[in-house]
Amino acid sequence: MSMKSLHMMAVDFGASSGRAVTGEFDGERLSIQEIHRFANEPVQLGERLHWDFLKLFHELKRGIAKARQQLGRTPASIAVDTWGVDYGLVDPKGRLIGNPYHYRDLRSEPAMKEAIRLIPETELYARTGIQSSSINTVYQLFAEEQLRLEQNAGDWRMLFMPDLFHYYLSGVMANEYTIASTSGMLDAIKRDWSTAILDALSLPQSLLSPVIMPGTRLGAIRPDICSELSIEAMPVIAASGHDTAAAVASIPADDGHYAFISSGTWSLMGIELDEPVLTERSKQLFFSNEGGADGKIRLLKNIMGLWLLQECRRFWAVEGPDLSFSELMEMAQNAPKNSSYIDAGDTVFLPPGNMPQRIQEYCRASGQSVPQTRPEIVRCILESLAFKYGQTLNEIEELTGKRLERIHMVGGGIQNRLLCQLTANVTGKTVIAGPVEATSIGNLMMQAKAHGEVNHLAEIREIVRRSFPPEIYMPEDVEEWEDRYRRYDQLLVLQKTNGY
């Protein structure tokens, strides 16, 4: 390692907000500082829902200018990570062909139904390891009829959101592995595009760029941007383009005997493997295989997460009083032990709007006692999430044949200490919580790898352990929680049988 401090910049675009972070790596430890935060709001234009890429790119440049001002010099490099599946189209002259569609735009729903008549979902999963959803890139592209008919589109290029930002920063087109793996078009074993899928759906192969591994240098910031922002040319690095892949790269683990939970609005729970799991059973259990740093596979399931609590708080704020999350947690901590549970994977909880009422209706319909007060509802949510984590952990062990010893939780959700402790209680596993800023840290450390300051993923994780000491939660009252989990499991069986 070099003894000279390395100052880098990470830009993390989430589905509702974005931020720019600087990181200083001194060869032993990493420190980070947020320098710019901004909203990321979709735009409805007629019948279509878009991302405002022009605004987001403007905010990205503002972040670069602030980093230059804060550091007193241009950062050594920059990398962008974003949510998955969405993309932009670029014409032969490098011009953006309209603002990118939002994954919630409805155009891909009928396209999905048409596409699976041409290539069945079972074949798609066997090749890509990705669960079918109308938001998947493969169905979004199939909805772009002009692409399939190749009318004026023979020389167009498709770039996923982080790739699109990197292109307009550097002028280099490429599709980074972790973000490409979310598309439903990448062969999970070969780690390259599946020509069989593209041919079956008449999607031109010329649309796609070469797949590059995380930590690849793309090029330098374009001269016009350097002139505009009064900065020196700095490398643009494809670190880990998918935000969850970046978060998992920062898990402070020292071996492979663990599951991970990237906790926030959604909970992504899974395990890191060398090869994908493409069985009928993994498809039946709704697991996907996504790419990770160093060519790893993240076998994971998407769970509703703290969306349930966020929606309850939003509804209660209108009724008043507007209580903070910490106030709600304190009330829930002191509430009587819960006796009602929900399935945090049920789609009834997916839309926004009056979440408390939906939780109460679910409990009533399933013959349980109905939580009435805010503390009771919060407790119901958190215990149900912990039970969902326990169920998912059992499924991971079944699919992999591994006995997992602990759970690493990262992301903003770990600030909910009650949820961390409940997860330890329900699973009977040690929970290691941290870091909170996992995505930005993973982004920055993959940049450090591209600079030659670290050599591999294990070294990155050792540095994260040293730089951001985690908090440990040990299981408590294990026998009691095992008994309560059995009751939760029976509830899910009844739900499937009775259809509520």
Side-chain angles (χ1 to χ4, degrees):
M1 292 184 187
S2 167
M3 296 303 295
K4 183 180 178 181
S5 288
L6 183 68
H7 294 86
M8 303 160 290
M9 178 179 175
V11 184
D12 172 29
F13 288 95
S16 60
S17 66
R19 62 192 188 129
V21 173
T22 57
E24 179 181 359
F25 179 55
D26 64 5
E28 295 292 331
R29 286 178 171 81
L30 176 72
S31 60
I32 64 172
Q33 182 177 351
E34 181 180 306
I35 56 170
H36 184 49
R37 182 177 286 269
F38 49 91
N40 179 15
E41 299 174 337
V43 177
Q44 187 79 39
L45 186 64
E47 296 181 351
R48 300 274 71 96
L49 189 64
H50 297 271
W51 297 107
D52 191 349
F53 181 79
L54 300 182
K55 175 185 180 295
L56 297 180
F57 195 74
H58 171 70
E59 297 292 357
L60 169 57
K61 289 193 291 184
R62 287 185 66 194
I64 295 173
K66 288 184 178 182
R68 171 69 176 82
Q69 182 179 21
Q70 180 218 38
L71 298 174
R73 60 184 180 279
T74 303
S77 59
I78 184 173
V80 173
D81 63 76
T82 79
W83 66 96
V85 305
D86 288 338
Y87 60 89
L89 296 171
V90 178
D91 76 8
K93 293 185 177 181
R95 296 172 299 198
L96 184 65
I97 304 172
N99 261 326
Y101 285 106
H102 191 291
Y103 59 82
R104 293 190 188 275
D105 183 81
L106 298 179
R107 81 197 193 288
S108 57
E109 291 186 3
M112 176 180 172
K113 295 176 182 177
E114 182 182 349
I116 60 179
R117 286 197 291 267
L118 299 174
I119 181 166
E121 291 178 283
T122 51
E123 183 177 348
L124 280 168
Y125 187 84
R127 292 183 182 277
T128 68
I130 299 297
Q131 291 290 340
S132 279
S133 169
S134 63
I135 72 173
N136 291 358
T137 316
V138 63
Y139 300 128
Q140 291 197 52
L141 285 172
F142 192 72
E144 303 258 13
E145 187 173 356
Q146 192 174 18
L147 285 176
R148 291 189 282 120
L149 300 178
E150 297 190 56
Q151 296 174 352
N152 304 316
D155 295 320
W156 288 4
R157 299 288 282 278
M158 186 278 292
L159 296 170
F160 297 99
M161 294 305 291
D163 303 326
L164 194 65
F165 286 111
H166 288 153
Y167 168 64
Y168 284 112
L169 285 174
S170 70
V172 177
M173 290 188 181
N175 292 140
E176 187 270 333
Y177 167 61
T178 67
I179 199 75
S181 73
T182 70
S183 67
M185 298 185 295
L186 197 76
D187 188 300
I189 295 175
K190 297 178 181 177
R191 272 74 160 178
D192 203 354
W193 300 117
S194 171
T195 55
I197 292 174
L198 298 173
D199 290 346
L201 299 180
S202 300
L203 294 172
Q205 296 181 31
S206 59
L207 193 67
L208 305 173
S209 298
V211 176
I212 60 172
M213 285 293 116
T216 299
R217 288 189 181 220
L218 294 171
I221 292 279
R222 297 159 57 123
D224 58 307
I225 296 178
C226 291
S227 176
E228 176 189 355
L229 302 179
S230 298
I231 60 171
E232 299 171 355
M234 63 172 166
V236 177
I237 296 174
S240 287
H242 190 212
D243 49 12
T244 307
V248 172
S250 75
I251 287 173
D254 55 6
D255 62 37
H257 301 293
Y258 67 91
F260 65 79
I261 301 174
S262 180
S263 178
T265 300
W266 292 90
S267 292
L268 289 303
M269 185 172 184
I271 187 173
E272 197 172 52
L273 301 171
D274 291 324
E275 297 298 332
V277 178
L278 304 173
T279 62
E280 178 59 32
R281 182 60 173 160
S282 63
K283 180 179 183 296
Q284 181 185 33
L285 292 174
F286 298 100
F287 279 84
S288 285
N289 296 261
E290 297 180 354
D294 285 6
K296 296 285 189 179
I297 294 291
R298 294 172 290 119
L299 179 70
L300 55 80
K301 176 181 284 191
N302 200 341
I303 300 169
M304 202 76 69
L306 291 173
W307 161 257
L308 298 160
L309 181 58
Q310 291 164 354
E311 275 297 286
C312 283
R313 179 175 178 265
R314 188 174 68 86
F315 180 81
W316 288 329
V318 175
E319 289 186 328
D322 184 4
L323 299 176
S324 67
F325 284 115
S326 60
E327 289 173 318
L328 289 172
M329 288 310 100
E330 184 177 355
M331 294 164 62
Q333 185 79 53
N334 298 322
K337 289 184 178 178
N338 177 55
S339 59
S340 302
Y341 311 113
I342 60 173
D343 180 1
D346 196 307
T347 55
V348 71
F349 303 116
L350 186 59
N354 205 339
M355 189 66 74
Q357 180 177 315
R358 271 181 280 164
I359 290 170
Q360 291 171 326
E361 289 175 350
Y362 182 101
C363 293
R364 186 178 297 110
S366 54
Q368 304 179 82
S369 60
V370 178
Q372 299 294 334
T373 67
R374 294 184 184 188
E376 289 173 347
I377 292 173
V378 172
R379 188 88 190 190
C380 174
I381 290 171
L382 296 182
E383 290 189 12
S384 298
L385 276 176
F387 284 131
K388 192 68 175 180
Y389 297 158
Q391 178 192 30
T392 304
L393 180 71
N394 292 338
E395 293 168 348
I396 293 170
E397 291 184 334
E398 175 194 340
L399 291 174
T400 63
K402 293 176 179 283
R403 178 68 177 173
L404 303 178
E405 299 172 355
R406 56 197 172 280
I407 298 172
H408 279 273
M409 294 181 70
V410 298
I414 68 170
Q415 296 173 95
N416 190 318
R417 296 170 57 86
L418 178 55
L419 178 59
C420 294
Q421 185 60 60
L422 288 170
T423 301
N425 295 349
V426 168
T427 62
K429 308 292 185 181
T430 300
V431 168
I432 303 170
V436 174
E437 309 294 348
T439 299
S440 296
I441 291 167
N443 180 320
L444 291 163
M445 288 310 303
M446 289 302 294
Q447 290 185 60
K449 184 174 184 288
H451 284 284
E453 296 296 317
V454 294
N455 298 311
H456 45 70
L457 197 53
E459 192 175 350
I460 287 175
R461 288 171 170 163
E462 180 184 346
I463 291 163
V464 174
R465 284 196 303 275
R466 201 158 50 229
S467 305
F468 308 95
E471 189 164 359
I472 310 299
Y473 296 84
M474 302 300 296
E476 299 173 354
D477 304 322
V478 174
E479 290 185 3
E480 175 190 343
W481 285 100
E482 285 178 346
D483 180 63
R484 297 179 73 185
Y485 178 79
R486 282 191 288 270
R487 283 188 278 134
Y488 168 82
D489 195 47
Q490 291 169 0
L491 170 68
L492 296 188
V493 172
L494 286 172
Q495 180 192 28
K496 291 178 182 178
T497 302
N498 299 329
Y500 57 76

